[in-house]
Amino acid sequence: MRHPAPPAATGAYEDDLALLVTGRPRPGRWIAVLAAAFAAVWLAWTVIVNPNLHWDIVAKYQFDGVILEGLWVTVQLTLISQVVGIVIGVVVAVMQLSDSPVLRTTAGAYTWFFRGTPLLVQLIFWFNLALLFPEISIGIPFDGPKLVSWQSNTLITGFVAALLGLSINEGAYMSEIVRAGIQSVDPGQREAGASLGMSNLRILTRVVLPQAMRVIIPPFGNQFISMLKTTSLVSVIAGADLMTVSQHLYLANFEVIALLIVASIWYLVLTTIASIAQHAVERRFNPAAAPPPLYRRVLGNLRPGRGPKKPAAAKQAARQPEKSVEKSTKSAKSAKGETR
Amino acid sequence: MSTTLSKPPTDEVILSARGVRKRFGELEVLCGIDLEVRAGEVLCVIGPSGSGKSTLLRCFNHLEKIDAGRIEVNGELVGYEPYGSAGRLRERRPRDIRHQRERIGMVFQRFHLFPHRTALQNVMEGPTVVKRRPRGEVESRARELLDRVGLADRADHYPAQLSGGQQQRVAIARALAMDPTLMLFDEPTSALDPELVGEVLGVMRDLARSGMTMVVVTHEMGFAREVADRVVFMDRGAVVEAGSPADVFTAPRHDRTRAFLSTVL
Ligand SMILES: Nc1ncnc2c1ncn2[C@@H]1O[C@H](COP(=O)(O)OP(=O)(O)OP(=O)(O)O)[C@@H](O)[C@H]1O
Ligand SMILES: [Mg+2]
């Protein structure tokens, strides 16, 4: 339970107390740290001095033009499919929560199918769409006249198939995340919006989704980071991403490990940036709940008797709805709220 | 305190309900409700828990569908329109329902302020988003309303930074910002600490005095007695007794009313 922050002077007061209260020394922690550090150094050393690992090759390819192009494709694939995935996710989540059984079933079937089959299969399927539909056209259905039509093979390039596969799959996962977020918002909020004459769409965008963000953002961050690496699957359909180009390179020069390291370094760079961004965003949407950064946690745990300090922003947690407003005065009757 | 702003003398009917029925599955929650509220009148609805007071109120702005009967606000059927012959009704288009709701303010037991917006933004939300009025104009009116409920200095606070009583007063201002012709209150003080009840009732009293037409579901018998023009006692989905506060409180005609009053007074 959070207590309402006492006014102003908190900071100084806390520090005074900290001077008085000192924790017990924790030798166990120091031993664990030393052991872990030793293991890490030893492992790194065996890798670094390993003559089979060609660091010069790694260095040569790390900023190679081909690799950088692949990196750019990976970034594009991630961003575009994540954005499309969000849009699909919101639409499907809303369908799933609608009154219409048709919409609910459609949405359910979508999530069921695309979460239930391997992404790898889906990617290969989209890439080979031409086998099923040699021609894609817009016009009257059932052999009616066509307005425009394309050869599937020219339309569905590796990149397009990758985007289709990734975003449609991502949409299925996002829809569940968004649904949970929407359901976390008090139904009274929708009624308040409705009583002002707001349309369902307005209620969704101005009232429900902004509040759902608090629940949506953390798993969304995971999805995004996972997407950065999942894009590597598109190497099976010649997606031209970072993994594909690395593969092409090592198939030519047999420097398998070196090029995998090159790719991994880039993936680590991307995921690190994403984690930092995730943190910043989480903090903005829910300052109280976001854990402090890793280095602060580590340092905090090592200092005797001091847990990691709550970020100062936590005091501003005020933006979040408080449950404490539900104080009952009229014994039995107010215990049962007026929303059902 | 005296009567500079007394109620306009008029018999214009603002709200009328005839034979309103509502069931949730097997349970008949409203079994034929008849009511009338005239312009400037304050109607207090009292009754035991589960008697259907909230449901009735929610039917008045079509947050709840009804199974039979007619509800008219400002002479217009709420939520339904005539369809075909023999007095049949069908639900209106969503857009029409929204327009009807714009003119019916609602205040909830648990406030339901938008927690991600400041007090001022809460009050401005309806007029700017629904009515698409220019911001500047809406803002000055919103500040006026906050001033009226005694919260001019809290305009930039978020709901979580306000006490329950303050939140409920913002909620009242938010409803008033739509210029409603009818205000519905569903136990507006039931979620409040006892010491905060007075400030909300005070605002409602002023509102009543300014001539607002109000339907108030409440357990505050003192308020009902003082402010209501008429009191309705509901039990098990029916209006058992209706009349002036003096009649209902001091000379109840039905046993059930007497029994209820003896538990709450
Ligand atoms: N959505 C719903 N689904 C099923 N039953 C409902 C629903 N809403 C209300 N009810 C039932 O209808 C009856 C009337 O409820 P209502 O909330 O209108 O009573 P109330 O008079 O407002 O009571 P209180 O004083 O406790 O607020 C209750 O028995 C309640 O359980
Ligand atoms: Mg109720």
Side-chain angles (χ1 to χ4, degrees):
Chain A
M1 270 275 72
R2 218 170 343 118
H3 295 277
T10 330
Y13 185 60
E14 259 179 14
D15 283 347
D16 284 351
L17 282 187
L19 289 177
L20 296 174
V21 182
T22 310
R24 302 185 60 79
R26 300 180 134 165
R29 281 198 179 164
W30 284 104
I31 295 172
V33 167
L34 288 179
F38 177 78
V41 169
W42 177 71
L43 205 71
W45 188 75
T46 54
V47 172
I48 290 167
V49 303
N50 190 323
N52 300 325
L53 216 164
H54 303 152
W55 286 105
D56 51 325
I57 307 285
V58 173
K60 181 177 158 213
Y61 280 102
Q62 194 65 55
F63 295 95
D64 184 271
V66 179
I67 290 284
L68 291 183
E69 267 169 41
L71 180 68
W72 175 228
V73 171
T74 291
V75 170
Q76 282 176 301
L77 276 178
T78 305
L79 291 179
I80 301 176
S81 10
Q82 194 65 62
V83 168
V84 179
I86 292 172
V87 174
I88 297 179
V90 171
V91 172
V92 173
V94 170
M95 284 167 69
Q96 238 160 9
L97 295 172
S98 88
D99 292 333
S100 150
V102 180
L103 292 185
R104 275 204 311 267
T105 315
T106 315
Y110 168 83
T111 337
W112 170 76
F113 185 82
F114 287 100
R115 283 203 311 175
T117 54
L119 175 57
L120 192 56
V121 173
Q122 292 170 30
L123 284 169
I124 299 174
F125 170 83
W126 289 116
F127 191 57
N128 294 293
L129 198 64
L131 299 180
L132 196 56
F133 306 104
E135 236 181 47
I136 294 173
S137 49
I138 297 177
I140 313 290
F142 300 114
D143 298 326
K146 310 272 183 277
L147 290 177
V148 232
S149 86
W150 301 272
Q151 290 294 307
S152 295
N153 270 331
T154 53
L155 194 63
I156 308 284
T157 61
F159 188 75
V160 172
L163 276 185
L164 277 172
L166 291 172
S167 28
I168 291 175
N169 186 263
E170 182 63 12
Y173 284 92
M174 280 310 296
S175 77
E176 290 295 292
I177 293 173
V178 174
R179 184 170 62 86
I182 292 178
Q183 281 176 324
S184 75
V185 178
D186 181 345
Q189 289 289 316
R190 324 187 98 254
E191 297 198 335
S195 74
L196 289 176
M198 293 170 86
S199 66
N200 284 337
L201 185 65
R202 287 257 171 72
I203 293 174
L204 182 74
T205 55
R206 295 198 54 96
V207 178
V208 176
L209 283 182
Q211 295 181 60
M213 280 308 169
R214 211 156 46 101
V215 170
I216 292 176
I217 294 279
F220 166 73
N222 282 345
Q223 286 299 114
F224 187 82
I225 287 169
S226 154
M227 175 66 95
L228 277 169
K229 295 165 298 164
T230 306
T231 51
S232 61
L233 283 181
V234 310
S235 58
V236 297
I237 55 170
D241 72 314
L242 180 56
M243 190 61 205
T244 313
V245 296
S246 309
Q247 255 174 5
H248 285 171
L249 288 174
Y250 70 60
L251 288 178
N253 67 9
F254 305 110
E255 293 286 354
V256 180
I257 302 290
L259 278 155
L260 285 182
I261 287 184
V262 168
S264 298
I265 289 176
W266 278 125
Y267 282 118
L268 274 171
V269 168
L270 292 180
T271 50
T272 307
I273 296 173
S275 313
I276 294 172
Q278 176 190 23
H279 230 91
V281 176
E282 257 176 60
R283 206 165 276 265
R284 172 156 149 36
F285 277 91
N286 192 7
L294 182 65
Y295 77 92
R296 288 263 292 277
R297 269 178 285 165
V298 172
L299 288 179
N301 283 336
L302 290 177
R303 297 248 287 294
R306 285 194 135 192
K309 247 206 169 137
K310 271 275 162 66
K315 286 170 202 147
Q316 266 302 315
R319 285 159 180 257
Q320 305 314 324
E322 287 275 2
K323 288 285 177 264
S324 64
V325 294
E326 289 177 59
K327 288 162 195 150
S328 40
T329 50
K330 284 266 173 2
S331 51
K333 47 164 286 301
S334 62
K336 160 188 164 297
E338 42 84 53
T339 49
R340 290 159 278 254
Chain B
M1 283 283 270
S2 63
T3 58
T4 36
L5 282 165
S6 61
K7 285 161 192 166
T10 162
D11 345 313
E12 188 198 348
V13 174
I14 297 283
L15 167 73
S16 96
R18 276 171 290 146
V20 174
R21 288 175 179 279
K22 168 80 190 172
R23 51 168 60 248
F24 288 115
E26 288 296 285
L27 180 72
E28 179 136 57
V29 178
L30 300 175
C31 346
I33 301 281
D34 296 298
L35 275 183
E36 228 172 53
V37 182
R38 289 165 196 282
E41 229 182 358
V42 176
L43 176 76
C44 279
V45 181
I46 61 173
S49 182
S51 54
K53 308 178 299 291
S54 299
T55 309
L56 179 64
L57 216 58
R58 292 156 54 80
C59 291
F60 289 161
N61 66 355
H62 200 64
L63 281 180
E64 212 76 74
K65 293 176 187 171
I66 61 177
D67 298 321
R70 300 265 187 291
I71 294 172
E72 285 179 17
V73 171
N74 305 315
E76 228 181 64
L77 272 176
V78 175
Y80 300 90
E81 59 193 5
Y83 175 63
S85 55
R88 290 209 312 176
L89 300 179
R90 71 168 176 192
E91 201 164 25
R92 283 182 195 268
R93 294 185 307 173
R95 175 211 294 254
D96 296 341
I97 295 174
R98 295 202 299 271
H99 281 314
Q100 293 183 324
R101 285 183 182 145
E102 285 177 32
R103 310 180 59 195
I104 306 173
M106 187 157 202
V107 175
F108 301 87
Q109 181 174 354
R110 288 186 303 120
F111 332 136
H112 299 323
L113 287 182
F114 304 131
H116 54 303
R117 302 194 191 287
T118 62
L120 184 68
Q121 289 167 342
N122 264 281
V123 180
M124 291 175 62
E125 184 74 6
T128 43
V129 173
V130 178
K131 291 192 169 172
R132 297 182 166 286
R133 294 256 187 76
R135 289 198 80 80
E137 180 189 307
V138 173
E139 180 173 337
S140 57
R141 167 112 169 94
R143 287 190 188 279
E144 248 173 66
L145 285 166
L146 283 176
D147 189 34
R148 187 166 161 193
V149 299
L151 291 172
D153 55 333
R154 297 297 148 94
D156 297 322
H157 286 54
Y158 285 90
Q161 299 168 314
L162 299 173
S163 75
Q166 292 170 333
Q167 289 186 56
Q168 192 62 300
R169 287 186 280 153
V170 174
I172 293 173
R174 176 176 70 177
L176 289 176
M178 296 298 283
D179 296 317
T181 53
L182 169 68
M183 285 282 285
L184 308 174
F185 296 83
D186 190 0
E187 300 196 30
T189 58
S190 293
L192 298 178
D193 284 340
E195 74 269 21
L196 301 178
V197 168
E199 62 191 52
V200 172
L201 292 182
V203 166
M204 291 169 62
R205 196 176 288 123
D206 289 345
L207 195 58
R209 207 170 281 137
S210 75
M212 176 60 75
T213 313
M214 296 161 56
V215 178
V216 185
V217 173
T218 187
H219 289 266
E220 295 293 332
M221 298 303 153
F223 175 83
R225 187 176 282 203
E226 180 202 341
V227 179
D229 296 292
R230 276 188 313 128
V231 174
V232 160
F233 171 66
M234 273 181 75
D235 193 15
R236 287 180 236 153
V239 172
V240 175
E241 185 153 355
S244 71
D247 289 346
V248 175
F249 286 116
T250 51
R253 275 171 302 157
H254 288 81
D255 292 342
R256 275 196 269 167
T257 320
R258 267 193 288 274
F260 174 72
L261 289 176
S262 70
T263 62
V264 294
L265 284 181

